[in-house]
Every structure is written in C-alpha cells, then in structure tokens.
Amino acid sequence: RAAIERSIAVDPDDPSLRLAAAWLALEMNAPDRAIIHVHAGLARETDAYRRGQLLLWGARAADTGDPALAKRWRDELARLDGDGLDELRMSARRRRGRPHTNLMMADAY
C-alpha cells in the first residue's frame, strides 16, 4: 500500500495506480478511500476496459454508503463499448465481499 501511495504522489494522474489503490482500500475495508481513487482514475482513464474496471470496483465501494453513485457507475459500465466488458458487467451483478488483491497479477477477485 505504501509503495502504491508513493507512486500516486509521483504520478497522481496515472489511472492504473488509482485502480490498484482502490483495490487495496477495499481490502482494508475503507470504501470511502476507494471512491476517492476511483473518481481520480475515472477523470483520466480513456481505455474502455480499464474504465470499466474502475466503474466496477467504484460501484462496489459505493454500495456501502452511496447507492445512487453505485447505480450511476453501474449504468455507465452497462453503456461502455469494448472488448472484455461483458465479463465486467457479469461480475458487477455478483455480490462479493472484500477483494483479495494480488498486485503481482494486477487483478483483484
């Protein structure tokens, strides 16, 4: 977590760092912190799949305290067009607990 936060301090506009930070925040049961990272990532991310990842995890974070935001992000995910998005949309329908982040695989499950 500390390395990701240091990386964000060096390059706050890198959305991939924001996604990793959001995963780590969710793993630490800090959805408000995850939402901050997702907002920052969405402000810069243009790739549809990566934007979809931010929307998916942001919606999961927002479920706990801001259902309207969660719905907006799921709706945006539903409207995105690009490869691999069907998998993200299916995943958005499944309820999961806290993620277990594996940054070596650059993924969370």
Side-chain angles (χ1 to χ4, degrees), residues 18-99:
R18 296 302 187 146
L19 179 60
W23 287 334
L24 292 167
L26 285 168
E27 188 174 47
M28 294 287 302
N29 202 26
D32 291 345
R33 185 79 183 133
I35 288 169
I36 290 168
H37 287 298
V38 169
H39 275 296
L42 288 172
R44 299 285 186 198
E45 186 58 73
T46 58
D47 179 80
Y49 182 78
R50 291 180 180 168
R51 187 169 185 82
Q53 287 179 308
L54 284 161
L55 291 166
L56 168 67
W57 290 100
R60 287 180 175 169
D63 276 336
T64 61
D66 192 342
L69 178 60
K71 182 181 182 331
R72 275 198 315 274
W73 280 345
R74 281 193 180 89
D75 289 348
E76 184 178 340
L77 176 57
R79 290 188 305 270
L80 280 178
D81 185 34
D83 292 335
L85 292 169
D86 288 340
E87 178 184 344
L88 292 178
R89 285 190 274 268
M90 286 188 312
S91 186
R93 290 192 216 51
R94 286 179 264 163
R95 182 68 183 126
R96 294 225 159 151
R98 284 193 322 212

